[in-house]
Amino acid sequence: MNSEYQIAVMDGDYIGPEIMSAGLRVLEEVSKHQNFEYKIKHILFGGEAIDKMGNPLPESTIETCQNSDAILLSAIGGPKWDSSIKRPESGLLEIRQRLGLFANIRPTVITKSMQPYSPIKINHPVDFVIVRELTSGIYFGTPRFRTSTEAVDTMSYNFNEIHRVAEVAFEMSRRRKKHVTLVDKANVLATSKLWREIVSEVAKNYPDVSYDTSYVDSAAMKIIAEPNQFDVILTENLFGDILSDEAAQITGSLGTIPSMSRGKSGPVLYEPIHGSAPDIAGKGIADPISMIKSVSMMLENSFDRHDLAQLVDLAVNRSIEQGILTPDLGGTASTNEVTECIIKSIKESRNEYATK
Ligand code: IPM
Ligand code: MG
């Protein structure tokens, strides 16, 4: 048994520290008397790191991440650094690449309690996940340059980059509804044609998993029109970026969706999929659920504590059912009220167990 886990925590910018503190309070509560010991190490990253160290991703931050069992990140960036030489976002791309976090997993779950908040008509459960390639494609391709009259970005993929993330998607589907959809633009892009070739080969190793493909424009429609036809969507970096925001929105709010980014081995990074929301920073009204669910994802995936993750998820659902909601979901509650409600509910379920 591990005696004590180390969790690296990057508090982030604007609403970042507000939601991180909510996530950590929930972690503290749920792990009480549960034989789950951990130590938090706060490290600098993003805009805060630019301000204090002149670099969004200081070397000491990477080192601490590499030596941790899991990494929690809230959200970084914002207008304050619009004109700085290095933007906080460049730190995000760099950390993904340096830690080899090539697979980004973003769930879209519309539970019964969330159904009323969805902007689309839903009369069936929605539960799919996007597996987004995270360390290649147009985000990292070269050449990349800009002159005053021309700009070039390059989308490039090789066998290994496609193969390893495809395996993540198929393995994941086996623990779900056993269906993988590759989303691409194979009617136009050379990279997409390569993806199709490689992924259809990987699919042959998973005869128990059904496999189909969809062009990205059509997939964008289906996410709204028939989201329940998806189980695991596998896609490249930029398509995944766009589709995961769209998918998040059909749940009612971007403010409730966690994500995880992982490589072949090493610590996994957990973060909300949304940004640092400068417009609401300091007002105490940011939705803490995305961060709290990132904590539950961490408990489940990095520490194999399904029991604790479930306690958190149940408590989140209860708070939604009770209508304790921040303004992104149409409510009037504060970050603190939602967090308190979730903590109270965790305490109650624990007491229920204890008295059974
Ligand atoms: C995300 C974000 C980042 C991305 C930005 C901030 C660079 O939108 O994690 O989805 O595009 O990957
Ligand atoms: Mg994005």
Side-chain angles (χ1 to χ4, degrees):
M1 260 317 276
N2 190 306
S3 50
E4 187 179 66
Y5 294 115
Q6 174 167 303
I7 302 171
V9 167
M10 305 191 274
D11 294 284
D13 307 316
Y14 291 99
I15 63 162
E18 301 171 35
I19 59 171
M20 181 59 85
S21 130
L24 294 181
R25 280 169 61 203
V26 169
L27 178 61
E28 191 183 334
E29 183 57 44
V30 79
S31 53
K32 267 184 198 158
H33 319 298
Q34 295 286 340
N35 195 20
F36 182 81
E37 307 292 327
Y38 63 93
K39 192 170 71 210
I40 296 290
K41 198 153 181 197
H42 291 271
I43 48 180
L44 291 176
F45 182 59
E48 195 194 4
I50 294 180
D51 289 350
K52 294 190 176 142
M53 320 265 292
N55 179 358
L57 181 61
E59 219 31 55
S60 54
T61 291
I62 274 285
E63 270 163 32
T64 304
C65 287
Q66 280 161 341
N67 294 324
S68 296
D69 297 297
I71 306 161
L72 285 174
L73 165 65
S74 54
I76 57 159
K80 186 173 173 202
W81 301 280
D82 273 351
S83 54
S84 73
I85 305 165
K86 267 196 153 185
R87 292 176 62 108
E89 290 85 342
S90 70
L92 196 55
L93 300 191
E94 198 184 330
I95 200 172
R96 289 171 179 171
Q97 204 172 43
R98 298 263 317 261
L99 296 176
L101 308 173
F102 61 79
N104 177 238
I105 293 139
R106 300 184 164 185
T108 295
V109 182
I110 307 184
T111 54
K112 224 174 159 39
S113 65
M114 280 300 278
Q115 276 186 19
Y117 306 102
S118 172
I120 61 174
K121 267 190 264 148
I122 299 185
N123 37 29
H124 40 67
V126 173
D127 182 356
F128 66 89
V129 27
I130 296 180
V131 176
R132 165 189 175 193
E133 197 292 324
L134 201 61
T135 52
S136 183
I138 203 161
Y139 276 65
F140 295 94
T142 50
R144 157 178 302 185
F145 64 84
R146 198 178 80 185
T147 69
S148 57
T149 53
E150 192 191 5
V152 170
D153 288 297
T154 302
M155 187 190 284
S156 131
Y157 271 107
N158 65 34
F159 176 89
N160 182 37
E161 289 162 348
I162 298 169
H163 194 268
R164 63 191 183 184
V165 73
E167 286 199 316
V168 169
F170 278 88
E171 287 296 327
M172 175 160 289
S173 79
R174 277 195 166 152
R175 297 190 296 275
R176 300 175 46 92
K177 290 174 271 175
K178 297 199 171 69
H179 179 60
V180 173
T181 305
L182 170 65
V183 169
D184 62 25
K185 192 71 187 171
N187 48 349
V188 179
L189 302 177
T191 43
S192 288
K193 289 179 185 137
L194 184 65
W195 271 81
R196 279 219 176 173
E197 218 172 278
I198 295 167
V199 177
S200 66
E201 282 305 307
V202 172
K204 288 183 188 155
N205 300 329
Y206 296 84
D208 52 321
V209 176
S210 63
Y211 167 64
D212 58 11
T213 61
S214 176
Y215 295 137
V216 61
D217 45 356
S218 163
M221 276 193 318
K222 287 183 212 154
I223 283 177
I224 289 176
E226 327 159 48
N228 63 325
Q229 69 166 260
F230 293 117
D231 177 26
V232 175
I233 291 179
L234 165 65
T235 194
E236 65 87 42
N237 204 342
L238 182 61
F239 296 160
D241 178 47
I242 299 165
L243 293 183
S244 60
D245 269 27
E246 185 198 2
Q249 197 54 42
I250 70 165
T251 68
S253 172
L254 225 59
T256 63
I257 318 286
S259 76
M260 67 186 218
S261 304
R262 46 159 290 199
K264 274 243 167 333
S265 57
V268 177
L269 184 150
Y270 300 86
E271 62 174 322
I273 78 154
H274 57 75
S276 61
D279 53 324
I280 57 164
K283 296 187 177 160
I285 54 165
D287 195 334
I289 291 180
S290 57
M291 194 70 237
I292 292 170
K293 282 196 169 175
S294 298
V295 165
S296 104
M297 228 182 182
M298 172 185 78
L299 289 165
E300 173 98 45
N301 291 283
S302 285
F303 303 124
D304 219 10
R305 289 301 299 257
H306 178 69
D307 55 337
L308 302 187
Q310 211 175 19
L311 266 181
V312 174
D313 292 347
L314 278 173
V316 167
N317 283 343
R318 270 196 214 164
S319 77
I320 295 170
E321 275 157 20
Q322 288 167 26
I324 312 292
L325 308 166
T326 43
D328 54 308
L329 285 170
T332 54
S334 65
T335 310
N336 193 38
E337 281 162 348
V338 173
T339 311
E340 283 301 331
C341 176
I342 291 170
I343 288 175
K344 187 164 157 263
S345 169
I346 290 173
K347 279 189 182 139
E348 282 165 8
S349 343
R350 224 190 1 239
N351 292 342
E352 275 164 36
Y353 281 130
T355 52
K356 265 181 195 159

